[in-house]
Each structure stands twice: as C-alpha cells, then as structure tokens.
Amino acid sequence: MIQRIQSIWLLLAGAGSLATLKLSFYSGNKDNNLFEELNGTSHFLLLILAVAVAMAAFVALFLFKNRKLQTQLSFLGLLLQLGALALYFIQTQKFVTGNFTLASVVSFAIPVFFILAITGIRKDEKLIKSMDRLR
C-alpha cells in the first residue's frame, strides 16, 4: 500500500486538509477593528468540507485494491476541496482589510495532491491492464 506513490499523495492531501483546520488562510480586520483569522474552523461549512476532504483522502488511501472506487473518492475529494477554496474566497470578501497568509499555500496544494494521486492510480490501472494482456 505505502509503496505506491498515490498513497503518498493521498496521505499528504488528508494531512493538509486536517492542517487547514488550524492554519490560517486569511487574516485581517472585519467591520469591527478586531484582528481575525480565517481558517477551517471559522465557518461551519468550511469545517464540514475540511473534514470531508480528509475523510475522502484517508478512505481512498486504504482502498488500494479497488482502484475504480479509489479514483472516484479522489475526484470527490478534489471537488470538495475546490468547493472549500471557493468558500474561502467568499469568506474573504467579508473582511475590510487583510492579507492571505503563507499557510494558505496548503489549501492550494491539496487539489494538486489529489490530481497527482489520480494520475498515479491511472498509471497503476494501465500497468495491470498491460499485465493482463500478457497472460
């Protein structure tokens, strides 16, 4: 399981999604002059999406024998993370002043990890099909 490269990518996607719960995506001032940080626990829907992305990545990690379902869960995780990114940008509009933090790179890296995992799963599927032709 862990010797396959897509397992590493799925593990990184899941860990990154859990890291977004604590790492700040955006920080600044809202209407009141209080400094606030936007992270995965700032909004209820962001919390649900972050946990769902992590669950999809970790469940797909252990479905290495069922590559079709592993691919589908990876696509689901990719779509959920893109939705989370869209929600992050919607939430940043509520800030009067602020900046993106360096930790926001983690949120942008998660879809890349899912795409790399899907690519690895497809390569494995090609390899298995080519081996079946030789039999």
Side-chain angles (χ1 to χ4, degrees):
M1 173 185 68
I2 199 69
Q3 67 267 22
R4 297 169 52 216
I5 190 66
Q6 61 266 26
S7 298
I8 305 283
W9 298 126
L10 289 171
L11 186 66
L12 286 173
S17 180
L18 290 177
T20 60
L21 294 175
K22 290 294 178 188
L23 296 176
S24 176
F25 182 82
Y26 192 84
S27 60
N29 296 328
K30 284 191 176 180
D31 292 334
N32 51 11
N33 286 331
L34 295 175
F35 182 77
E36 294 183 31
E37 291 184 342
L38 177 65
N39 58 16
T41 57
S42 299
H43 192 265
F44 184 68
L45 193 54
L46 282 173
L47 175 67
I48 291 173
L49 285 173
V51 171
V53 168
M55 290 292 292
F58 289 132
V59 169
L61 178 65
F62 293 106
L63 290 174
F64 54 91
K65 290 185 180 180
N66 190 350
R67 283 177 298 283
K68 183 178 179 185
L69 185 58
Q70 190 179 33
T71 305
Q72 290 173 347
L73 279 175
S74 297
F75 271 123
L76 176 68
L78 175 65
L79 292 176
L80 288 174
Q81 182 60 29
L82 291 176
L85 284 173
L87 190 59
Y88 273 126
F89 281 111
I90 290 170
Q91 292 297 318
T92 59
Q93 300 302 316
K94 295 180 181 178
F95 284 82
V96 176
T97 60
N99 292 321
F100 290 96
T101 61
L102 185 60
S104 65
V105 173
V106 174
S107 296
F108 291 109
I110 294 170
V112 174
F113 293 149
F114 274 119
I115 290 170
L116 290 171
I118 291 167
T119 305
I121 296 167
R122 286 190 176 162
K123 283 182 183 177
D124 270 3
E125 189 66 32
K126 268 188 189 177
L127 179 66
I128 296 298
K129 285 182 181 180
S130 72
M131 296 302 282
D132 286 344
R133 281 190 291 237
L134 291 175
R135 289 184 197 178

